[in-house]
Amino acid sequence: MIKAIDPNQLLTQMRAMQTQANQAAPMPAEQNLSSGRVDFANLMKNAVDQVNQTQQTSNQLKTSFELGDPSVNLTDVMIASQKASVAFDATVQVRNKLIEAYQEVMRMSI
């Protein structure tokens, strides 16, 4: 039989995840703070690595849930899946904008 989802428990979990996301370590934009420069390549690499980690976590939760792990519930799996999906979609959009900007610069005459 399917167990009903308690809205209060779901809301509590969502608030806990929001707090956790707000307390996440900031991006390493302060790397070259003394010179006032940010290493764009490292910034992008870290962002892609975080998206990859989010996707791996989502896949691990899915696998655990499918194998019947009682410590993993469906709401955690679905939230992790949506986080991974949104992170990936945002990364694709950033990539598309970077490609557009590069193409625009290449079309400029000197």
Side-chain angles (χ1 to χ4, degrees):
M1 181 170 220
I2 298 175
K3 189 172 89 173
I5 297 174
D6 180 20
N8 292 327
Q9 181 185 10
L10 181 61
L11 184 60
T12 302
Q13 288 178 353
M14 289 173 64
R15 286 182 179 153
M17 288 182 186
Q18 181 182 16
T19 303
Q20 181 184 6
N22 290 339
Q23 293 175 351
M27 297 295 279
E30 309 86 33
Q31 285 178 346
N32 296 329
L33 191 58
S34 61
S35 64
R37 295 177 47 188
V38 176
D39 187 8
F40 184 74
N42 282 340
L43 190 65
M44 286 302 296
K45 182 185 180 314
N46 289 337
V48 170
D49 287 344
Q50 286 181 348
V51 170
N52 184 38
Q53 182 62 40
T54 303
Q55 289 178 328
Q56 288 177 355
T57 302
S58 173
N59 287 336
Q60 289 171 352
L61 282 173
K62 286 179 190 176
T63 302
S64 296
F65 182 76
E66 290 169 353
L67 293 175
D69 186 353
S71 66
V72 178
N73 59 20
L74 182 59
T75 56
D76 291 340
V77 174
M78 295 307 296
I79 290 171
S81 176
Q82 288 300 308
K83 275 184 178 180
S85 176
V86 168
F88 182 75
D89 290 343
T91 303
V92 169
Q93 291 300 320
V94 168
R95 182 208 59 182
N96 292 344
K97 290 295 183 181
L98 286 171
I99 290 172
E100 283 179 31
Y102 174 78
Q103 290 172 342
E104 185 67 28
V105 168
M106 295 306 291
R107 282 192 289 257
M108 289 181 182
S109 61
I110 298 177

